[in-house]
Amino acid sequence: MRIEEEILQKSFKSEYHKLAVNIIFTHGWLTSLQRGFFDKFSITVNQYNILRILRGQHPNPISINLLKERMLDKMSDTSRLVERLRAKGLVERKICKNDRRKSDVKVTSKGLELLSKLEPIDLEVERTLKALSNDEAEKLNNLLDKMRG
């Protein structure tokens, strides 16, 4: 559906204004799709992002600072998110041996098990995005990369 119909707005100041609104709206739409799935497992989109980063590093730990750098949402309070995951038994957090001011974090077996249960969300998102052809998806990725430049 066209953005004009989605938000009931007939016109925009410019195509660039329309693009900004469309990107923000689409982000919300995609996040809402994910949130509905994650709520069943009592985690958030940002917690899922942390678990995926940690799975990529597994079995090695990663620092909170490196986690924050790799997060999709750079404004997240990474320490708070990690603490909530730790309280659920999904991650371990230990003081770094080399620098006691830092914490090392790694995913637990319970966290890995949860990630395997969450795999259908990736398939659902991909299925939804397949409204675009592979070539269109590649072109859109290139355009978004160019825009962030």
Tab-separated table of all heavy atoms in Angstrom, residues 78-139:
chain	number	residue	atom	x	y	z
A	78	THR	N	22.769	-0.362	26.436
A	78	THR	CA	23.246	-1.729	26.276
A	78	THR	C	23.453	-2.418	27.617
A	78	THR	O	23.081	-3.581	27.786
A	78	THR	CB	24.538	-1.745	25.440
A	78	THR	OG1	24.312	-1.010	24.239
A	78	THR	CG2	24.959	-3.151	25.097
A	79	SER	N	24.015	-1.725	28.575
A	79	SER	CA	24.255	-2.326	29.899
A	79	SER	C	22.952	-2.785	30.538
A	79	SER	O	22.878	-3.878	31.112
A	79	SER	CB	24.950	-1.338	30.824
A	79	SER	OG	26.246	-1.081	30.365
A	80	ARG	N	21.936	-1.967	30.446
A	80	ARG	CA	20.627	-2.307	31.024
A	80	ARG	C	20.022	-3.512	30.306
A	80	ARG	O	19.478	-4.428	30.940
A	80	ARG	CB	19.686	-1.101	30.939
A	80	ARG	CG	18.321	-1.329	31.533
A	80	ARG	CD	17.424	-0.095	31.388
A	80	ARG	NE	17.363	0.421	30.034
A	80	ARG	CZ	16.590	-0.060	29.063
A	80	ARG	NH1	15.800	-1.093	29.291
A	80	ARG	NH2	16.583	0.488	27.864
A	81	LEU	N	20.120	-3.537	28.976
A	81	LEU	CA	19.593	-4.656	28.202
A	81	LEU	C	20.312	-5.953	28.556
A	81	LEU	O	19.686	-7.002	28.727
A	81	LEU	CB	19.725	-4.377	26.701
A	81	LEU	CG	18.864	-3.246	26.148
A	81	LEU	CD1	19.309	-2.885	24.732
A	81	LEU	CD2	17.399	-3.622	26.162
A	82	VAL	N	21.633	-5.886	28.682
A	82	VAL	CA	22.417	-7.067	29.049
A	82	VAL	C	22.017	-7.540	30.443
A	82	VAL	O	21.874	-8.749	30.676
A	82	VAL	CB	23.935	-6.775	28.962
A	82	VAL	CG1	24.750	-7.853	29.662
A	82	VAL	CG2	24.363	-6.625	27.512
A	83	GLU	N	21.815	-6.624	31.357
A	83	GLU	CA	21.438	-7.003	32.721
A	83	GLU	C	20.088	-7.726	32.733
A	83	GLU	O	19.905	-8.716	33.449
A	83	GLU	CB	21.399	-5.782	33.633
A	83	GLU	CG	21.076	-6.099	35.076
A	83	GLU	CD	21.961	-7.177	35.697
A	83	GLU	OE1	23.138	-7.316	35.325
A	83	GLU	OE2	21.454	-7.921	36.578
A	84	ARG	N	19.155	-7.272	31.926
A	84	ARG	CA	17.851	-7.954	31.852
A	84	ARG	C	17.992	-9.354	31.261
A	84	ARG	O	17.334	-10.291	31.706
A	84	ARG	CB	16.861	-7.119	31.043
A	84	ARG	CG	16.409	-5.906	31.805
A	84	ARG	CD	15.327	-5.158	31.102
A	84	ARG	NE	14.884	-4.059	31.949
A	84	ARG	CZ	14.247	-3.011	31.506
A	84	ARG	NH1	13.958	-2.892	30.232
A	84	ARG	NH2	13.882	-2.057	32.329
A	85	LEU	N	18.849	-9.486	30.258
A	85	LEU	CA	19.100	-10.808	29.671
A	85	LEU	C	19.803	-11.717	30.681
A	85	LEU	O	19.525	-12.914	30.751
A	85	LEU	CB	19.924	-10.674	28.391
A	85	LEU	CG	19.204	-10.057	27.194
A	85	LEU	CD1	20.198	-9.721	26.092
A	85	LEU	CD2	18.110	-10.982	26.684
A	86	ARG	N	20.715	-11.139	31.479
A	86	ARG	CA	21.409	-11.913	32.510
A	86	ARG	C	20.418	-12.414	33.553
A	86	ARG	O	20.466	-13.573	33.968
A	86	ARG	CB	22.500	-11.076	33.176
A	86	ARG	CG	23.424	-11.909	34.085
A	86	ARG	CD	24.117	-11.059	35.135
A	86	ARG	NE	23.200	-10.349	36.011
A	86	ARG	CZ	22.484	-10.911	37.002
A	86	ARG	NH1	22.568	-12.195	37.242
A	86	ARG	NH2	21.688	-10.177	37.746
A	87	ALA	N	19.492	-11.554	33.948
A	87	ALA	CA	18.490	-11.931	34.951
A	87	ALA	C	17.609	-13.076	34.449
A	87	ALA	O	17.109	-13.872	35.255
A	87	ALA	CB	17.637	-10.724	35.321
A	88	LYS	N	17.440	-13.188	33.157
A	88	LYS	CA	16.643	-14.272	32.557
A	88	LYS	C	17.478	-15.524	32.299
A	88	LYS	O	16.959	-16.530	31.830
A	88	LYS	CB	16.031	-13.803	31.233
A	88	LYS	CG	15.016	-12.704	31.391
A	88	LYS	CD	14.530	-12.223	30.028
A	88	LYS	CE	13.605	-11.029	30.218
A	88	LYS	NZ	13.073	-10.565	28.945
A	89	GLY	N	18.786	-15.440	32.574
A	89	GLY	CA	19.662	-16.576	32.369
A	89	GLY	C	20.073	-16.786	30.919
A	89	GLY	O	20.571	-17.846	30.557
A	90	LEU	N	19.893	-15.758	30.093
A	90	LEU	CA	20.189	-15.882	28.660
A	90	LEU	C	21.620	-15.488	28.313
A	90	LEU	O	22.129	-15.870	27.259
A	90	LEU	CB	19.195	-15.040	27.850
A	90	LEU	CG	17.717	-15.424	28.050
A	90	LEU	CD1	16.806	-14.432	27.351
A	90	LEU	CD2	17.458	-16.840	27.581
A	91	VAL	N	22.266	-14.707	29.195
A	91	VAL	CA	23.662	-14.316	28.993
A	91	VAL	C	24.402	-14.385	30.327
A	91	VAL	O	23.787	-14.350	31.391
A	91	VAL	CB	23.814	-12.893	28.389
A	91	VAL	CG1	23.075	-12.765	27.080
A	91	VAL	CG2	23.384	-11.820	29.364
A	92	GLU	N	25.725	-14.482	30.236
A	92	GLU	CA	26.608	-14.374	31.401
A	92	GLU	C	27.362	-13.068	31.267
A	92	GLU	O	27.782	-12.703	30.173
A	92	GLU	CB	27.624	-15.519	31.417
A	92	GLU	CG	27.072	-16.872	31.681
A	92	GLU	CD	28.157	-17.948	31.625
A	92	GLU	OE1	29.331	-17.621	31.312
A	92	GLU	OE2	27.823	-19.105	31.873
A	93	ARG	N	27.561	-12.413	32.398
A	93	ARG	CA	28.324	-11.157	32.415
A	93	ARG	C	29.377	-11.275	33.505
A	93	ARG	O	29.044	-11.513	34.660
A	93	ARG	CB	27.382	-9.988	32.684
A	93	ARG	CG	28.043	-8.647	32.676
A	93	ARG	CD	27.020	-7.550	32.893
A	93	ARG	NE	27.613	-6.246	32.720
A	93	ARG	CZ	26.936	-5.129	32.657
A	93	ARG	NH1	25.625	-5.147	32.743
A	93	ARG	NH2	27.549	-3.988	32.506
A	94	LYS	N	30.638	-11.128	33.106
A	94	LYS	CA	31.738	-11.245	34.057
A	94	LYS	C	32.672	-10.050	33.911
A	94	LYS	O	32.809	-9.495	32.823
A	94	LYS	CB	32.512	-12.544	33.815
A	94	LYS	CG	31.693	-13.782	34.083
A	94	LYS	CD	32.509	-15.021	33.902
A	94	LYS	CE	31.643	-16.233	34.219
A	94	LYS	NZ	32.327	-17.480	33.973
A	95	ILE	N	33.313	-9.709	34.996
A	95	ILE	CA	34.316	-8.643	34.967
A	95	ILE	C	35.484	-9.120	34.096
A	95	ILE	O	35.969	-10.237	34.250
A	95	ILE	CB	34.808	-8.300	36.390
A	95	ILE	CG1	33.642	-7.819	37.266
A	95	ILE	CG2	35.927	-7.253	36.349
A	95	ILE	CD1	32.966	-6.551	36.773
A	96	CYS	N	35.938	-8.258	33.206
A	96	CYS	CA	37.052	-8.573	32.307
A	96	CYS	C	38.326	-8.780	33.137
A	96	CYS	O	38.640	-7.980	34.016
A	96	CYS	CB	37.235	-7.436	31.312
A	96	CYS	SG	38.614	-7.663	30.173
A	97	LYS	N	39.053	-9.837	32.823
A	97	LYS	CA	40.281	-10.147	33.564
A	97	LYS	C	41.360	-9.090	33.328
A	97	LYS	O	42.127	-8.768	34.228
A	97	LYS	CB	40.808	-11.521	33.151
A	97	LYS	CG	39.920	-12.658	33.559
A	97	LYS	CD	40.438	-13.980	33.035
A	97	LYS	CE	39.462	-15.096	33.351
A	97	LYS	NZ	39.864	-16.371	32.774
A	98	ASN	N	41.415	-8.536	32.114
A	98	ASN	CA	42.462	-7.583	31.754
A	98	ASN	C	42.162	-6.151	32.206
A	98	ASN	O	43.081	-5.366	32.410
A	98	ASN	CB	42.687	-7.588	30.240
A	98	ASN	CG	43.106	-8.956	29.740
A	98	ASN	OD1	43.690	-9.736	30.477
A	98	ASN	ND2	42.801	-9.237	28.493
A	99	ASP	N	40.887	-5.812	32.332
A	99	ASP	CA	40.498	-4.448	32.702
A	99	ASP	C	39.239	-4.533	33.558
A	99	ASP	O	38.144	-4.728	33.049
A	99	ASP	CB	40.251	-3.609	31.448
A	99	ASP	CG	39.970	-2.155	31.764
A	99	ASP	OD1	39.678	-1.828	32.935
A	99	ASP	OD2	40.021	-1.335	30.828
A	100	ARG	N	39.392	-4.363	34.845
A	100	ARG	CA	38.279	-4.556	35.782
A	100	ARG	C	37.161	-3.535	35.608
A	100	ARG	O	36.093	-3.684	36.181
A	100	ARG	CB	38.811	-4.561	37.217
A	100	ARG	CG	39.799	-5.717	37.443
A	100	ARG	CD	40.087	-6.002	38.881
A	100	ARG	NE	38.954	-6.155	39.759
A	100	ARG	CZ	38.223	-7.265	39.885
A	100	ARG	NH1	38.475	-8.316	39.153
A	100	ARG	NH2	37.236	-7.307	40.755
A	101	ARG	N	37.389	-2.498	34.791
A	101	ARG	CA	36.322	-1.528	34.524
A	101	ARG	C	35.366	-2.028	33.445
A	101	ARG	O	34.300	-1.462	33.253
A	101	ARG	CB	36.913	-0.191	34.080
A	101	ARG	CG	37.747	0.493	35.160
A	101	ARG	CD	38.485	1.669	34.588
A	101	ARG	NE	39.459	1.172	33.610
A	101	ARG	CZ	40.184	1.921	32.814
A	101	ARG	NH1	40.060	3.219	32.835
A	101	ARG	NH2	41.043	1.393	31.965
A	102	LYS	N	35.758	-3.094	32.752
A	102	LYS	CA	34.964	-3.622	31.647
A	102	LYS	C	34.282	-4.925	32.033
A	102	LYS	O	34.745	-5.634	32.925
A	102	LYS	CB	35.847	-3.880	30.419
A	102	LYS	CG	36.416	-2.637	29.806
A	102	LYS	CD	37.227	-3.007	28.578
A	102	LYS	CE	37.830	-1.778	27.919
A	102	LYS	NZ	38.642	-2.164	26.750
A	103	SER	N	33.196	-5.218	31.325
A	103	SER	CA	32.501	-6.493	31.491
A	103	SER	C	32.565	-7.274	30.195
A	103	SER	O	32.461	-6.699	29.110
A	103	SER	CB	31.023	-6.255	31.825
A	103	SER	OG	30.883	-5.665	33.078
A	104	ASP	N	32.737	-8.574	30.311
A	104	ASP	CA	32.654	-9.478	29.177
A	104	ASP	C	31.312	-10.191	29.247
A	104	ASP	O	30.868	-10.609	30.315
A	104	ASP	CB	33.778	-10.511	29.217
A	104	ASP	CG	35.125	-9.931	28.807
A	104	ASP	OD1	35.131	-8.962	28.017
A	104	ASP	OD2	36.157	-10.452	29.249
A	105	VAL	N	30.685	-10.336	28.094
A	105	VAL	CA	29.357	-10.939	28.024
A	105	VAL	C	29.397	-12.075	27.021
A	105	VAL	O	30.033	-11.962	25.976
A	105	VAL	CB	28.304	-9.895	27.575
A	105	VAL	CG1	26.914	-10.492	27.558
A	105	VAL	CG2	28.353	-8.655	28.455
A	106	LYS	N	28.716	-13.171	27.361
A	106	LYS	CA	28.557	-14.242	26.379
A	106	LYS	C	27.200	-14.894	26.560
A	106	LYS	O	26.613	-14.864	27.636
A	106	LYS	CB	29.696	-15.243	26.424
A	106	LYS	CG	29.799	-16.103	27.628
A	106	LYS	CD	31.030	-17.001	27.484
A	106	LYS	CE	30.945	-18.172	28.416
A	106	LYS	NZ	32.052	-19.097	28.235
A	107	VAL	N	26.710	-15.450	25.472
A	107	VAL	CA	25.399	-16.088	25.471
A	107	VAL	C	25.487	-17.430	26.183
A	107	VAL	O	26.507	-18.124	26.106
A	107	VAL	CB	24.865	-16.226	24.021
A	107	VAL	CG1	25.690	-17.203	23.209
A	107	VAL	CG2	23.391	-16.606	24.002
A	108	THR	N	24.442	-17.783	26.912
A	108	THR	CA	24.378	-19.073	27.606
A	108	THR	C	23.702	-20.102	26.711
A	108	THR	O	23.131	-19.763	25.661
A	108	THR	CB	23.559	-18.949	28.907
A	108	THR	OG1	22.210	-18.594	28.563
A	108	THR	CG2	24.151	-17.924	29.866
A	109	SER	N	23.717	-21.341	27.136
A	109	SER	CA	23.029	-22.382	26.372
A	109	SER	C	21.527	-22.098	26.331
A	109	SER	O	20.864	-22.354	25.325
A	109	SER	CB	23.307	-23.770	26.946
A	109	SER	OG	22.941	-23.838	28.297
A	110	LYS	N	20.999	-21.528	27.409
A	110	LYS	CA	19.577	-21.145	27.429
A	110	LYS	C	19.309	-20.053	26.395
A	110	LYS	O	18.271	-20.059	25.724
A	110	LYS	CB	19.187	-20.675	28.835
A	110	LYS	CG	17.729	-20.347	28.998
A	110	LYS	CD	17.408	-19.944	30.437
A	110	LYS	CE	15.949	-19.540	30.577
A	110	LYS	NZ	15.623	-19.114	31.946
A	111	GLY	N	20.244	-19.119	26.247
A	111	GLY	CA	20.110	-18.067	25.243
A	111	GLY	C	20.148	-18.627	23.833
A	111	GLY	O	19.389	-18.213	22.958
A	112	LEU	N	21.055	-19.572	23.599
A	112	LEU	CA	21.149	-20.213	22.281
A	112	LEU	C	19.878	-20.998	21.963
A	112	LEU	O	19.399	-21.001	20.825
A	112	LEU	CB	22.372	-21.124	22.218
A	112	LEU	CG	23.728	-20.418	22.252
A	112	LEU	CD1	24.858	-21.441	22.399
A	112	LEU	CD2	23.926	-19.565	21.012
A	113	GLU	N	19.332	-21.642	22.987
A	113	GLU	CA	18.085	-22.396	22.807
A	113	GLU	C	16.943	-21.450	22.431
A	113	GLU	O	16.145	-21.741	21.530
A	113	GLU	CB	17.758	-23.141	24.105
A	113	GLU	CG	16.560	-24.050	24.027
A	113	GLU	CD	16.318	-24.766	25.356
A	113	GLU	OE1	17.278	-25.307	25.928
A	113	GLU	OE2	15.159	-24.761	25.806
A	114	LEU	N	16.879	-20.302	23.099
A	114	LEU	CA	15.844	-19.317	22.767
A	114	LEU	C	16.016	-18.823	21.331
A	114	LEU	O	15.045	-18.708	20.589
A	114	LEU	CB	15.878	-18.142	23.743
A	114	LEU	CG	14.897	-17.009	23.428
A	114	LEU	CD1	13.453	-17.491	23.471
A	114	LEU	CD2	15.096	-15.844	24.388
A	115	LEU	N	17.249	-18.549	20.941
A	115	LEU	CA	17.491	-18.094	19.569
A	115	LEU	C	17.004	-19.107	18.540
A	115	LEU	O	16.462	-18.728	17.505
A	115	LEU	CB	18.980	-17.793	19.359
A	115	LEU	CG	19.463	-16.463	19.908
A	115	LEU	CD1	20.987	-16.411	19.897
A	115	LEU	CD2	18.881	-15.303	19.122
A	116	SER	N	17.174	-20.375	18.823
A	116	SER	CA	16.693	-21.383	17.871
A	116	SER	C	15.170	-21.364	17.793
A	116	SER	O	14.598	-21.574	16.727
A	116	SER	CB	17.214	-22.772	18.216
A	116	SER	OG	16.643	-23.251	19.398
A	117	LYS	N	14.503	-21.062	18.904
A	117	LYS	CA	13.032	-20.939	18.896
A	117	LYS	C	12.583	-19.689	18.151
A	117	LYS	O	11.448	-19.626	17.673
A	117	LYS	CB	12.500	-20.909	20.326
A	117	LYS	CG	12.632	-22.206	21.064
A	117	LYS	CD	12.125	-22.067	22.491
A	117	LYS	CE	12.343	-23.344	23.276
A	117	LYS	NZ	11.985	-23.193	24.703
A	118	LEU	N	13.464	-18.685	18.085
A	118	LEU	CA	13.113	-17.420	17.430
A	118	LEU	C	13.418	-17.412	15.934
A	118	LEU	O	13.078	-16.444	15.247
A	118	LEU	CB	13.853	-16.261	18.115
A	118	LEU	CG	13.437	-15.974	19.554
A	118	LEU	CD1	14.382	-14.983	20.202
A	118	LEU	CD2	12.014	-15.464	19.611
A	119	GLU	N	14.032	-18.454	15.415
A	119	GLU	CA	14.376	-18.492	13.993
A	119	GLU	C	13.182	-18.247	13.065
A	119	GLU	O	13.341	-17.616	12.026
A	119	GLU	CB	15.084	-19.792	13.643
A	119	GLU	CG	16.527	-19.786	14.107
A	119	GLU	CD	17.283	-21.054	13.751
A	119	GLU	OE1	16.818	-21.802	12.877
A	119	GLU	OE2	18.342	-21.263	14.357
A	120	PRO	N	11.978	-18.697	13.413
A	120	PRO	CA	10.844	-18.425	12.516
A	120	PRO	C	10.591	-16.943	12.249
A	120	PRO	O	10.066	-16.593	11.195
A	120	PRO	CB	9.659	-19.074	13.232
A	120	PRO	CG	10.263	-20.172	14.035
A	120	PRO	CD	11.599	-19.619	14.486
A	121	ILE	N	10.985	-16.052	13.178
A	121	ILE	CA	10.760	-14.628	12.919
A	121	ILE	C	11.597	-14.164	11.741
A	121	ILE	O	11.146	-13.366	10.921
A	121	ILE	CB	10.993	-13.742	14.165
A	121	ILE	CG1	10.561	-12.289	13.904
A	121	ILE	CG2	12.438	-13.736	14.579
A	121	ILE	CD1	9.144	-12.079	13.521
A	122	ASP	N	12.822	-14.663	11.622
A	122	ASP	CA	13.649	-14.290	10.477
A	122	ASP	C	13.018	-14.767	9.180
A	122	ASP	O	13.020	-14.060	8.177
A	122	ASP	CB	15.062	-14.859	10.617
A	122	ASP	CG	15.853	-14.187	11.727
A	122	ASP	OD1	15.582	-13.010	12.031
A	122	ASP	OD2	16.747	-14.841	12.295
A	123	LEU	N	12.469	-15.964	9.208
A	123	LEU	CA	11.789	-16.502	8.023
A	123	LEU	C	10.547	-15.688	7.687
A	123	LEU	O	10.253	-15.429	6.516
A	123	LEU	CB	11.426	-17.971	8.239
A	123	LEU	CG	12.602	-18.923	8.463
A	123	LEU	CD1	12.101	-20.315	8.829
A	123	LEU	CD2	13.492	-18.968	7.232
A	124	GLU	N	9.804	-15.269	8.715
A	124	GLU	CA	8.600	-14.461	8.499
A	124	GLU	C	8.949	-13.095	7.924
A	124	GLU	O	8.281	-12.608	7.003
A	124	GLU	CB	7.831	-14.307	9.814
A	124	GLU	CG	6.578	-13.464	9.716
A	124	GLU	CD	5.503	-14.059	8.821
A	124	GLU	OE1	5.523	-15.281	8.555
A	124	GLU	OE2	4.639	-13.287	8.367
A	125	VAL	N	9.979	-12.472	8.454
A	125	VAL	CA	10.411	-11.170	7.929
A	125	VAL	C	10.857	-11.324	6.478
A	125	VAL	O	10.476	-10.527	5.615
A	125	VAL	CB	11.531	-10.555	8.808
A	125	VAL	CG1	12.173	-9.368	8.121
A	125	VAL	CG2	10.972	-10.151	10.161
A	126	GLU	N	11.638	-12.347	6.213
A	126	GLU	CA	12.100	-12.569	4.838
A	126	GLU	C	10.926	-12.826	3.902
A	126	GLU	O	10.870	-12.299	2.797
A	126	GLU	CB	13.083	-13.738	4.794
A	126	GLU	CG	13.748	-13.872	3.436
A	126	GLU	CD	14.909	-14.840	3.431
A	126	GLU	OE1	15.701	-14.826	4.395
A	126	GLU	OE2	15.013	-15.602	2.460
A	127	ARG	N	9.953	-13.617	4.362
A	127	ARG	CA	8.764	-13.886	3.550
A	127	ARG	C	8.026	-12.586	3.231
A	127	ARG	O	7.604	-12.348	2.108
A	127	ARG	CB	7.833	-14.865	4.268
A	127	ARG	CG	6.642	-15.313	3.419
A	127	ARG	CD	5.623	-16.105	4.227
A	127	ARG	NE	4.977	-15.336	5.273
A	127	ARG	CZ	4.040	-14.404	5.066
A	127	ARG	NH1	3.646	-14.099	3.863
A	127	ARG	NH2	3.504	-13.766	6.084
A	128	THR	N	7.909	-11.721	4.223
A	128	THR	CA	7.237	-10.441	4.040
A	128	THR	C	7.998	-9.559	3.047
A	128	THR	O	7.395	-8.909	2.197
A	128	THR	CB	7.102	-9.714	5.397
A	128	THR	OG1	6.365	-10.558	6.275
A	128	THR	CG2	6.408	-8.389	5.256
A	129	LEU	N	9.319	-9.562	3.146
A	129	LEU	CA	10.135	-8.717	2.268
A	129	LEU	C	10.216	-9.257	0.845
A	129	LEU	O	10.626	-8.539	-0.068
A	129	LEU	CB	11.535	-8.548	2.858
A	129	LEU	CG	11.592	-7.802	4.195
A	129	LEU	CD1	13.008	-7.760	4.713
A	129	LEU	CD2	11.002	-6.412	4.087
A	130	LYS	N	9.800	-10.500	0.646
A	130	LYS	CA	9.849	-11.076	-0.692
A	130	LYS	C	8.777	-10.506	-1.617
A	130	LYS	O	8.641	-10.938	-2.752
A	130	LYS	CB	9.788	-12.602	-0.630
A	130	LYS	CG	11.127	-13.187	-0.219
A	130	LYS	CD	11.195	-14.672	-0.413
A	130	LYS	CE	12.611	-15.145	-0.081
A	130	LYS	NZ	12.770	-16.557	-0.244
A	131	ALA	N	8.053	-9.493	-1.142
A	131	ALA	CA	7.203	-8.719	-2.044
A	131	ALA	C	8.104	-8.019	-3.063
A	131	ALA	O	7.669	-7.650	-4.151
A	131	ALA	CB	6.367	-7.707	-1.266
A	132	LEU	N	9.377	-7.848	-2.691
A	132	LEU	CA	10.390	-7.304	-3.594
A	132	LEU	C	11.137	-8.474	-4.236
A	132	LEU	O	11.367	-9.497	-3.586
A	132	LEU	CB	11.406	-6.456	-2.823
A	132	LEU	CG	10.898	-5.241	-2.061
A	132	LEU	CD1	12.043	-4.600	-1.287
A	132	LEU	CD2	10.265	-4.247	-3.004
A	133	SER	N	11.532	-8.294	-5.487
A	133	SER	CA	12.385	-9.308	-6.105
A	133	SER	C	13.776	-9.209	-5.484
A	133	SER	O	14.104	-8.222	-4.815
A	133	SER	CB	12.474	-9.068	-7.616
A	133	SER	OG	13.237	-7.897	-7.881
A	134	ASN	N	14.599	-10.212	-5.711
A	134	ASN	CA	15.971	-10.192	-5.201
A	134	ASN	C	16.726	-8.976	-5.756
A	134	ASN	O	17.462	-8.308	-5.027
A	134	ASN	CB	16.694	-11.491	-5.560
A	134	ASN	CG	17.987	-11.639	-4.802
A	134	ASN	OD1	17.970	-11.769	-3.582
A	134	ASN	ND2	19.099	-11.600	-5.503
A	135	ASP	N	16.529	-8.675	-7.046
A	135	ASP	CA	17.185	-7.512	-7.655
A	135	ASP	C	16.708	-6.211	-7.021
A	135	ASP	O	17.506	-5.300	-6.782
A	135	ASP	CB	16.932	-7.473	-9.168
A	135	ASP	CG	17.716	-8.539	-9.922
A	135	ASP	OD1	18.671	-9.102	-9.352
A	135	ASP	OD2	17.358	-8.800	-11.090
A	136	GLU	N	15.406	-6.111	-6.740
A	136	GLU	CA	14.869	-4.911	-6.091
A	136	GLU	C	15.422	-4.763	-4.676
A	136	GLU	O	15.766	-3.656	-4.247
A	136	GLU	CB	13.337	-4.964	-6.053
A	136	GLU	CG	12.686	-4.776	-7.404
A	136	GLU	CD	11.201	-5.073	-7.384
A	136	GLU	OE1	10.755	-5.947	-6.598
A	136	GLU	OE2	10.468	-4.416	-8.172
A	137	ALA	N	15.513	-5.878	-3.960
A	137	ALA	CA	16.063	-5.843	-2.597
A	137	ALA	C	17.518	-5.388	-2.627
A	137	ALA	O	17.946	-4.562	-1.810
A	137	ALA	CB	15.944	-7.210	-1.935
A	138	GLU	N	18.286	-5.902	-3.587
A	138	GLU	CA	19.684	-5.501	-3.722
A	138	GLU	C	19.789	-4.014	-4.049
A	138	GLU	O	20.604	-3.287	-3.471
A	138	GLU	CB	20.365	-6.334	-4.810
A	138	GLU	CG	21.837	-6.025	-4.972
A	138	GLU	CD	22.509	-6.874	-6.053
A	138	GLU	OE1	21.850	-7.738	-6.656
A	138	GLU	OE2	23.706	-6.637	-6.285
A	139	LYS	N	18.943	-3.550	-4.957
A	139	LYS	CA	18.966	-2.130	-5.332
A	139	LYS	C	18.583	-1.245	-4.140
A	139	LYS	O	19.226	-0.227	-3.894
A	139	LYS	CB	18.025	-1.875	-6.506
A	139	LYS	CG	18.074	-0.464	-7.010
A	139	LYS	CD	17.251	-0.279	-8.269
A	139	LYS	CE	17.463	1.122	-8.811
A	139	LYS	NZ	16.873	1.277	-10.143
